[in-house]
Amino acid sequence: MEIWHNPRCSKSRAAKAALDEAGVAYTERRYLDEPPTADELDAVLKRIGAEPWEVARLNEPVAKELGLKNLAHDRARWIEIMVANPVLIQRPIVLTGETAVVARDDASVRKAVEGG
């Protein structure tokens, strides 16, 4: 299990605490410090079952600067932008087995802990 974590984010800290409380082994990836490659992000999005624009943080200043709300839904272009600006990636993401979830609430964290 792996968590893409931003320690400054309360949702991310809560998900990490829930994983700790559940006693599951995981690795922590501070994705702002160690951004995913385009291939990694593409694979994670497939595991989540989402398109990049569905997990983008559109209220971030850089999203507004780039005009993401009006950007055409070109998967490769969105992934390229999100890799270059990892703050745009919704957090936290918990990867387990063949699945992944955006773990922004207790139910999503439970789903990850229970294996998808």
Side-chain angles (χ1 to χ4, degrees):
M1 187 174 290
E2 179 177 28
I3 182 171
W4 287 12
H5 177 60
N6 176 355
R8 295 181 58 202
C9 170
S10 62
K11 301 277 187 190
S12 194
R13 288 192 311 269
K16 188 173 182 290
L19 294 177
D20 290 339
E21 187 175 307
V24 297
Y26 64 90
T27 57
E28 176 185 333
R29 180 174 184 169
R30 293 188 177 192
Y31 71 96
L32 295 178
D33 299 328
E34 184 187 342
T37 65
D39 288 341
E40 286 175 318
L41 182 55
D42 183 52
V44 166
L45 289 167
K46 287 176 183 172
R47 288 167 71 179
I48 292 171
E51 295 296 340
W53 46 88
E54 295 172 333
V55 297
R57 296 178 54 82
L58 297 178
N59 289 326
E60 290 291 332
V62 70
K64 292 175 182 176
E65 289 170 21
L66 294 170
L68 288 189
K69 284 186 180 180
N70 298 315
L71 187 67
H73 287 175
D74 175 325
R75 184 179 175 90
R77 179 70 179 127
W78 275 76
I79 288 173
E80 176 186 311
I81 290 169
M82 292 170 79
V83 166
N85 302 280
V87 72
L88 295 172
I89 301 170
Q90 192 62 260
R91 59 188 178 254
I93 295 176
V94 177
L95 302 97
T96 172
E98 296 297 315
T99 63
V101 296
V102 178
R104 294 189 56 78
D105 56 44
D106 292 338
S108 299
V109 175
R110 246 188 332 278
K111 179 180 175 182
V113 168
E114 293 168 359

